[in-house]
Amino acid sequence: MLATSLLLTGPQALSAQVMQTFGKLFDFEHVTVYVLAAFLIGFFVLLFYNFVYHYREQDAKTQGLSQYARLSLVLQTSSLRLCFYNVRRRHYIFLNENGEYSKEYNPVEFAELFDRDDFEQLRKLVFDICEERIRTASVRVRGVLKEDDTRDVFDISVSVARRRNRMEIEDLLCIMHDVTDDVRRRETVKRLLLRYHTVFNSPLLDMVFYDKYGVLNDINERACSEFGYKNREELLNGDFLLQDNPFYSGEDFHQLENTRSSSRTNFAKLRNPTSRVNRYALPGVQYYESTFNPIRNENGELEGVYMAGRNVTEMVESFHRQQEGFKKLRQITKDIKTYIDNVNYALQVSDVRLANYNPSTHTMEVSSNINETQMHLSQLRCIRLGTPRFRRAISSALNRMDHRTELPLEVLFETEIRDKQHRPVWLLFNMVPMKDEQGRVERYFGMCRNMTQMVETEHRLAIETKKAQETELLKQAFLTNMSYEIRTPLNTVVGFAELFESEHDVADEPLFVEEIRRNSNSLLSLVNDILFLSRLDANMIEYKKEETDFAMLFESWCQLGLVNVSPEVRVQVENPFERLLVNIDTEHVGKVIQRVCSTAVNFTQKGSIHVKAEYRKGHLSVVVEDTGRGIDKETLPHVFERFVRDQREELCGTGLDLPIAQTLVEQMGGSIELQSEVGKGTTVWVVIPCEASVIERRRELIE
């Protein structure tokens, strides 16, 4: 229509008509609609293309997972591992069990997984494939040494995996097959075979193998020699049975188990025509021990029997000879042991030791019995064994033995050793020379006896003899002193009594009476002291401890001892206790204090007497100090002896006060000591052990 109308009109009309038509077509509204339609069509085309691409991608992933699963199954069942070698990066990439990339190694890290020499072969092979000298190759490599000194072994096959643009090689595929178990299994089999041949052909045992029918299948050279066969091939011809050997003929072949047996065969009496061992010509009785090792298959059926054995005839006969010898030896040993036991018992009962001196080594051996040596003593130790006063005699005896004198020696000396009673041990050595075959003195043998008891007995006997002599002298001196001390006051009493019968002045009678009274009291006191001292010597005094208030009685005891004190003497009694309950013998403790105070009065004519008491740590002590004339040094060591006089031959009191006090104190478990100096006075300490239950000191002393 448009074309027809254009043709019917003129050129001007035609151009105007065309312009009108294009204006209608390309106005704004139509353009917007056309653009929107084109956009929608493009969007739907892109959405469809994306859906198709996603579908294909999912399908590709599914197929890849399926292939990876199949690859993982193949790897797991075939003990294979896959590794890719990237030619450009020169890195090795392993796949895990699921067929996925797991770990990447550079050449240095990859080389640390294998033995260095084997890795060099693998590396050369990879380079040859990369340079396309070869297309594929395989190599066996060993892993690094483990802590248990073992290595893994791999068979690695290398081939081209992928090329870039179908020309340049991009990746290589390495298939690693773990053949460690196979290699170890082959090595084990090889070792077992080597061990089998080594053991079977061992020259130490007879080795024989019978098959499941009991036919000899193999035998080593030692067994052939033992059975008397020189030709081994003749035995292996297939007709030698287990029952043909008399050493095994008694065994049930099909019931054999791993067992060990011994047999005894008398070939002199063997008359079995079927036994092929008759040709062995083995002499007499033969002893044979063997071990049976049957081999069975999985069903328990017998496949064969290995037998290892040896002829022990010589060993058995030697054992029998040894048994006979042992029997005789035991009897001889028993007799010798009985003899040795008797000798040892005699040495033990008599307390005697055996001594042996070797001049070559200069050593002395001392033993308590025949079986063992108790001591090894050098010459220096022998000399130092004795006390200093006997070392010269010991040295002289050793010197004589070193010069190999042929005369016997006898030495008795005191040692530095102490026995259980802490006594010095005395030893007596009696040594006699022992000569060799040429008659020369080789050594000295003798006995060492413990003479301690005998020496002590002799010593005690000497002491008792001396004591008896001293006692006799003391008795005579005591009787002499006692007769003198008694006779002096008694003569005085008799003399003044006779003055009353003679002519005298009546004014002198009071003096006569006073002298008679004083000497009579002195005589009575002396007699009482003598009687009391005799009871002390005879241990007839009984001590009875009782709880006593010492503080209350102390001052009265002191006053009784100080009753005859001179007016020119100042007396001080120090009692620090208000109350002191102690467990003592009241009577005898009082006598001790009285006599010590009385002795101080006799030695002190002017000056002072100080008496004090104290109790510390279970001991009651009394100290008496005076400033009298004192005791000279010569008399001081004898003040506790009876009837002692000083250098001026003056006797203080009866002469028995201090001896009686010392005896009483010692029998009560205490001690008494005296210290004196002429012109300065005397101090006496008396200590008596006792237990105090109450101790109360005076308050003024405490304050």
Side-chain angles (χ1 to χ4, degrees):
M1 290 289 296
L2 180 60
T4 303
S5 59
L6 290 174
L7 291 174
L8 293 177
T9 61
Q12 295 179 350
L14 180 60
S15 61
Q17 187 69 28
V18 171
M19 292 299 293
Q20 184 179 1
T21 302
F22 275 99
K24 291 179 180 181
L25 291 174
F26 292 100
D27 60 356
F28 178 76
E29 294 179 358
H30 288 83
V31 171
T32 301
V33 173
Y34 294 156
V35 172
L36 181 60
F39 176 76
L40 291 175
I41 292 171
F43 174 75
F44 282 109
V45 170
L46 291 175
L47 183 63
F48 176 75
Y49 179 77
N50 185 42
F51 176 77
V52 172
Y53 177 78
H54 181 70
Y55 174 77
R56 290 182 178 179
E57 184 181 8
Q58 292 294 330
D59 184 59
K61 287 185 178 180
T62 302
Q63 292 180 1
L65 292 176
S66 177
Q67 292 178 358
Y68 281 145
R70 289 194 296 271
L71 180 60
S72 175
L73 181 61
V74 171
L75 293 177
Q76 293 178 3
T77 56
S78 303
S79 298
L80 299 177
R81 291 192 67 184
L82 296 183
C83 172
F84 289 97
Y85 175 72
N86 188 281
V87 178
R88 183 174 57 85
R89 298 169 55 200
R90 303 183 67 181
H91 278 205
Y92 296 86
I93 305 172
F94 278 95
L95 298 182
N96 60 16
E97 296 178 352
N98 297 324
E100 300 174 351
Y101 291 114
S102 61
K103 194 169 183 179
E104 184 174 341
Y105 295 90
N106 59 35
V108 177
E109 295 174 345
F110 192 73
E112 293 178 353
L113 301 178
F114 305 100
D115 181 75
R116 182 166 62 180
D117 296 336
D118 294 347
F119 178 75
E120 288 297 327
Q121 297 181 12
L122 175 63
R123 180 170 171 270
K124 183 177 180 303
L125 185 147
V126 169
F127 286 165
D128 290 344
I129 294 177
C130 291
E131 295 175 1
E132 298 193 16
R133 294 191 185 96
I134 56 177
R135 301 190 58 172
T136 182
S138 299
V139 65
R140 174 166 290 182
V141 297
R142 296 168 296 171
V144 295
L145 193 64
K146 298 181 180 180
E147 294 182 356
D148 56 353
D149 296 333
T150 60
R151 298 174 183 265
D152 293 334
V153 183
F154 302 94
D155 283 342
I156 301 180
S157 299
V158 184
S159 60
V160 178
R162 185 165 49 247
R163 292 177 180 270
R164 183 183 297 110
N165 299 324
R166 298 184 181 181
M167 295 295 292
E168 183 181 356
I169 297 176
E170 183 177 0
D171 291 322
L172 298 182
L173 175 63
C174 300
I175 302 176
M176 300 177 59
H177 183 200
D178 190 350
V179 294
T180 305
D181 294 338
D182 295 339
V183 172
R184 291 178 180 175
R185 192 179 302 109
R186 285 195 294 271
E187 291 179 353
T188 302
V189 172
K190 184 178 179 180
R191 286 196 302 268
L192 289 177
L193 289 175
L194 180 61
R195 188 180 303 172
Y196 164 75
H197 289 293
T198 302
V199 173
F200 193 85
N201 296 318
S202 172
L204 301 177
L205 293 174
D206 304 336
M207 299 295 296
V208 183
F209 176 69
Y210 292 91
D211 62 12
K212 61 182 179 179
Y213 302 107
V215 179
L216 180 65
N217 188 268
D218 198 0
I219 186 171
N220 65 356
E221 294 295 336
R222 177 182 169 85
C224 292
S225 176
E226 189 65 40
F227 297 152
Y229 270 99
K230 298 182 179 180
N231 190 352
R232 179 173 176 270
E233 300 299 330
E234 183 181 351
L235 287 176
L236 301 177
N237 59 6
D239 61 347
F240 193 92
L241 303 179
L242 176 70
Q243 300 301 323
D244 294 339
N245 193 327
F247 294 132
Y248 307 142
S249 59
E251 302 292 339
D252 188 354
F253 181 75
H254 295 282
Q255 301 298 326
L256 285 176
E257 297 294 339
N258 290 331
T259 183
R260 185 175 180 179
S261 67
S262 300
S263 62
R264 178 182 181 275
T265 305
N266 190 349
F267 284 89
K269 298 181 180 180
L270 186 63
R271 296 293 182 266
N272 186 1
T274 62
S275 177
R276 299 178 60 182
V277 188
N278 293 341
R279 71 186 73 176
Y280 294 172
L282 296 176
V285 178
Q286 298 292 317
Y287 295 89
Y288 198 87
E289 64 176 13
S290 56
T291 302
F292 301 94
N293 298 285
I295 302 175
R296 301 183 184 275
N297 57 21
E298 297 178 354
N299 299 325
E301 298 175 351
L302 185 66
E303 294 290 339
V305 178
Y306 277 101
M307 295 184 180
R310 58 175 179 168
N311 193 328
V312 293
T313 304
E314 183 178 354
M315 184 185 301
V316 173
E317 292 177 352
S318 175
F319 177 75
H320 290 165
R321 291 192 297 269
Q322 288 180 359
Q323 290 298 317
E324 291 295 329
F326 287 156
K327 185 177 180 180
K328 295 179 180 179
L329 182 61
R330 281 195 295 269
Q331 184 61 38
I332 295 174
T333 304
K334 183 179 179 181
D335 296 340
I336 295 176
K337 185 177 182 301
T338 302
Y339 173 77
I340 292 175
D341 291 341
N342 293 335
V343 173
N344 290 337
Y345 178 75
L347 293 175
Q348 181 180 2
V349 171
S350 59
D351 197 14
V352 176
R353 300 291 184 270
L354 299 179
N356 186 23
Y357 183 78
N358 192 338
S360 301
T361 59
H362 307 290
T363 56
M364 175 76 74
E365 296 179 356
V366 180
S367 58
S368 58
N369 54 56
I370 299 178
N371 300 323
E372 60 181 356
T373 301
Q374 188 176 6
M375 290 186 296
H376 292 271
L377 302 176
S378 62
Q379 282 191 340
L380 181 60
R381 290 189 62 187
C382 290
I383 296 173
R384 294 298 298 272
L385 185 64
T387 55
R389 60 180 176 145
F390 289 99
R391 290 175 182 174
R392 184 180 296 275
I394 299 173
S395 177
S396 176
L398 293 174
N399 190 30
R400 291 174 60 188
M401 287 190 290
D402 287 339
H403 286 81
R404 303 179 187 270
T405 179
E406 297 184 359
L407 298 176
L409 299 174
E410 180 176 322
V411 181
L412 175 65
F413 61 92
E414 181 186 20
T415 67
E416 298 285 352
I417 305 173
R418 296 293 184 269
D419 59 8
K420 295 180 180 180
Q421 302 177 10
H422 302 286
R423 301 176 301 180
V425 177
W426 287 76
L427 297 179
L428 174 63
F429 279 85
N430 292 313
M431 308 296 292
V432 294
M434 306 296 293
K435 299 181 180 180
D436 56 12
E437 297 178 354
Q438 288 75 24
R440 295 174 298 182
V441 176
E442 181 181 16
R443 58 189 178 90
Y444 289 85
F445 179 78
M447 293 185 297
C448 171
R449 296 182 60 187
N450 188 345
M451 303 294 291
T452 306
Q453 189 65 34
M454 184 177 297
V455 172
E456 184 181 8
T457 302
E458 294 178 355
H459 181 66
R460 287 182 178 179
L461 182 61
I463 292 176
E464 293 299 328
T465 302
K466 184 177 180 181
K467 284 184 177 181
Q469 295 174 354
E470 291 178 353
T471 302
E472 184 65 25
L473 294 175
L474 182 61
K475 180 180 178 182
Q476 294 177 1
F478 177 76
L479 292 176
T480 302
N481 290 330
M482 186 177 64
S483 61
Y484 173 79
E485 298 298 336
I486 293 176
R487 196 165 48 246
T488 299
L490 185 60
N491 289 335
T492 302
V493 171
V494 173
F496 279 102
E498 290 178 352
L499 289 177
F500 279 99
E501 297 179 355
S502 63
E503 295 181 1
H504 63 280
D505 189 357
V506 178
D508 294 333
E509 289 184 358
L511 177 62
F512 297 162
V513 172
E514 179 62 24
E515 289 296 327
I516 292 173
R517 184 187 63 80
R518 186 172 62 83
N519 284 277
S520 297
N521 291 335
S522 176
L523 180 61
L524 180 61
S525 176
L526 179 61
V527 172
N528 289 334
D529 288 347
I530 292 172
L531 294 177
F532 187 74
L533 188 60
S534 63
R535 293 177 61 195
L536 284 175
D537 292 339
N539 292 323
M540 297 176 61
I541 303 299
E542 296 182 2
Y543 299 93
K544 297 180 180 180
K545 292 186 178 182
E546 57 183 1
E547 195 172 58
T548 304
D549 188 355
F550 179 81
M552 181 179 65
L553 300 176
F554 174 64
E555 295 183 9
S556 60
W557 289 335
C558 293
Q559 295 299 330
L560 291 176
L562 300 170
V563 65
N564 295 323
V565 66
S566 174
E568 298 180 3
V569 177
R570 185 179 69 259
V571 177
Q572 180 183 1
V573 178
E574 182 179 341
N575 184 7
F577 301 99
E578 184 70 31
R579 189 180 181 202
L580 178 62
L581 294 181
V582 290
N583 188 21
I584 59 175
D585 188 310
T586 307
E587 178 183 357
H588 296 100
V589 171
K591 287 184 178 181
V592 171
I593 295 175
Q594 292 176 24
R595 290 181 180 275
V596 173
C597 291
S598 176
T599 303
V601 170
N602 293 330
F603 278 90
T604 307
Q605 302 299 324
K606 59 181 179 178
S608 63
I609 298 176
H610 182 203
V611 184
K612 59 181 178 180
E614 187 57 66
Y615 178 83
R616 286 190 179 91
K617 297 180 180 180
H619 289 84
L620 178 64
S621 60
V622 178
V623 182
V624 180
E625 298 178 291
D626 65 69
T627 59
R629 67 172 183 267
I631 304 174
D632 55 84
K633 293 182 179 180
E634 290 74 11
T635 309
L636 188 61
H638 307 284
V639 292
F640 292 109
E641 297 177 4
R642 301 168 187 181
F643 301 112
V644 174
R645 298 175 181 272
D646 57 13
Q647 289 182 342
R648 294 179 293 179
E649 292 297 325
E650 293 183 359
L651 183 66
C652 299
T654 62
L656 298 176
D657 288 330
L658 288 180
I660 291 176
Q662 183 191 39
T663 306
L664 286 173
V665 170
E666 290 179 352
Q667 290 184 2
M668 287 188 292
S671 62
I672 182 171
E673 297 181 6
L674 185 144
Q675 183 178 353
S676 181
E677 186 176 352
V678 177
K680 294 185 179 181
T682 304
T683 303
V684 180
W685 292 272
V686 177
V687 180
I688 299 174
C690 60
E691 295 295 333
S693 57
V694 177
I695 301 176
E696 295 181 4
R697 294 185 176 273
R698 298 182 184 274
R699 294 183 179 180
E700 59 272 14
L701 295 177
I702 298 176
E703 294 176 356

